[in-house]
Amino acid sequence: MRTYTNVKDLGDLNLAVKEALEIKKNRYAYKHLGENKTLLMVFFNSSLRTRLSTQKAGMNLGMNTIVLDINQGAWKLETERGVIMDGDKTEHILEAIPVMGSYCDLIGVRAFAQFENKEYDYNETILNQFIQYSGKPVFSMEAATGHPLQAFADLITIEEYKKTNRPKVVLTWAPHPKALPQAVPNSFADFMNEANVDFVITHPEGYELDPKFVRGAKVEYDQDKALAGADFVYAKNWAAYTDPNYGKILSKDRSWTISSEKMALTNDAYFMHCLPVRRNMIVTDDVIESPRSIVIPEAANREISAQTVIKRMLESL
Ligand code: CP
């Protein structure tokens, strides 16, 4: 595997989940693969789970790991070609990337959508520059349009908790005070559309996601209807995708918050969220603290999804 940016990079999804669950049973079985190999993790944005779980995954595989926070200690990077660099940006990303590539064997990149230019974001400009210029296998640790390590961990979690062969999984928009990218819901849809689940997306009008990710999924604008009979409720906020509102907040309607009343509409569903989560905006305290909340095991599976991806990349070196 040379790149990991979306569900297709995993090939057969059932096999990938099976491999992940095998790794989970003995996460140190492949320690030899990473011996004398270095994983570089480059963060343009903050992280708790991705940073810790990916570093741990690399260590489980015997790798050395280096973490670079671009905005804390590194030179400020210019990311657009053709700019006259007479401002505060000291180094161009086109030199920085191959330099970074020269110090490592694999690179993970976190670079969120900036909401300044939809084309720049949806072309995955920063991630693709790493793929093009680093000379090393590159995986997304959440880029502008996708968070495939999160979605893979979500699918592993659903596989572990499902009670029926084809569970109903509902992705629901929920309110948030800040404008958040569409990366998590995009990748979640990308994975659920390939998985054996009855997948429904619900959100207020105006929050339609990119059709490239929604594909054939059912979109239900009435949240209560969507939640009826759900086995898994996956809550997430995102800002508007469609023009002319790209990156804007259109609603903070707290009637969309996942509460115990909303969960009562479901088939005793499990509650999921990628974290970090804003309590009593996205989900009420009682729901996230309930026995049906699986946000902690979901986050723990980030180590397993990352380890499966890194293992495959090491095997292809
Ligand atoms: N879910 C997730 O990616 O968490 P972090 O932003 O803390 O890495």
Side-chain angles (χ1 to χ4, degrees):
M1 189 192 280
R2 289 290 300 181
T3 59
Y4 181 62
T5 64
N6 63 63
V7 69
K8 298 274 186 235
D9 291 323
L10 288 176
D12 185 318
L13 198 50
N14 288 327
L15 282 183
V17 172
K18 218 172 140 195
E19 186 177 337
L21 293 173
E22 281 303 313
I23 287 169
K24 192 167 179 176
K25 280 186 210 153
N26 183 3
R27 57 193 82 191
Y28 305 109
Y30 298 95
K31 221 169 168 45
H32 58 282
L33 282 178
E35 193 181 7
N36 298 329
K37 299 280 190 302
T38 299
L39 167 64
L40 172 62
M41 300 159 60
V42 181
F43 287 92
F44 288 80
N45 312 96
S46 304
S47 166
L48 187 155
R49 277 142 293 273
T50 304
R51 172 186 288 248
L52 297 180
S53 63
T54 311
Q55 188 162 7
K56 178 68 166 47
M59 284 158 43
N60 292 349
L61 289 161
M63 300 189 81
N64 301 308
T65 59
I66 305 174
V67 180
L68 180 67
D69 286 302
I70 292 290
N71 296 320
Q72 286 171 20
W75 298 114
K76 255 191 162 176
L77 293 182
E78 177 56 63
T79 59
E80 300 228 38
R81 200 167 167 278
V83 168
I84 297 168
M85 289 175 59
D86 61 353
D88 64 340
K89 310 264 177 75
T90 308
E91 179 157 24
H92 203 286
I93 199 166
L94 293 179
E95 283 79 57
I97 289 174
V99 169
M100 290 187 236
S102 73
Y103 302 141
C104 66
D105 299 282
L106 305 181
I107 307 183
V109 181
R110 166 162 284 201
F112 291 173
Q114 293 170 19
F115 286 154
E116 285 166 13
N117 179 331
K118 184 175 180 178
E119 203 184 325
Y120 181 90
D121 289 343
Y122 269 70
N123 282 339
E124 287 290 8
T125 308
I126 292 180
L127 183 66
N128 282 329
Q129 289 184 112
F130 274 88
I131 291 170
Q132 198 175 348
Y133 300 113
S134 70
K136 297 291 152 72
V138 171
F139 61 94
S140 165
M141 297 195 300
E142 186 170 346
T145 67
H147 195 356
L149 287 177
Q150 179 65 52
F152 188 18
D154 297 334
L155 179 59
I156 295 165
T157 311
I158 288 170
E159 191 61 32
E160 289 179 314
Y161 281 83
K162 72 182 187 184
K163 298 284 184 298
T164 59
N165 190 39
R166 190 175 164 79
K168 179 175 178 182
V169 177
V170 178
L171 166 63
T172 178
W173 179 94
H176 195 280
K178 290 186 168 174
L180 298 187
Q182 298 95 23
V184 169
N186 284 346
S187 279
F188 189 71
D190 205 23
F191 273 69
M192 290 304 114
N193 280 321
E194 297 286 331
N196 186 25
V197 301
D198 174 14
F199 182 46
V200 179
I201 303 173
T202 184
H203 54 72
E205 291 199 26
Y207 278 100
E208 291 76 14
L209 293 164
D210 183 346
K212 183 175 107 182
F213 298 101
V214 175
R215 291 189 257 158
K218 183 175 180 195
V219 177
E220 168 59 67
Y221 291 102
D222 183 328
Q223 190 193 41
D224 289 0
K225 275 191 194 160
L227 292 174
D231 298 298
F232 293 88
V233 173
Y234 194 100
K236 186 72 185 86
N237 174 269
W238 61 89
Y241 163 75
T242 49
D243 295 325
N245 293 319
Y246 178 66
K248 291 195 181 139
I249 295 174
L250 307 179
S251 167
K252 292 184 188 174
D253 180 358
R254 290 210 288 123
S255 73
W256 281 76
T257 301
I258 296 298
S259 60
S260 50
E261 290 74 28
K262 295 282 182 183
M263 291 300 280
L265 300 170
T266 71
N267 182 29
D268 199 17
Y270 288 108
F271 174 80
M272 300 179 73
H273 187 280
C274 62
L275 305 181
V277 69
R278 299 266 185 157
R279 283 178 175 223
N280 303 308
M281 287 295 291
I282 300 279
V283 58
T284 57
D285 289 322
D286 55 340
V287 170
I288 198 164
E289 291 170 5
S290 80
R292 304 308 285 176
S293 168
I294 53 173
V295 296
I296 305 303
E298 178 187 359
N301 276 335
R302 290 292 308 278
E303 180 181 338
I304 306 305
S305 64
Q307 193 169 333
T308 309
V309 168
I310 296 169
K311 171 180 169 282
R312 287 182 171 200
M313 289 191 153
L314 287 171
E315 285 168 339
S316 72
L317 286 178

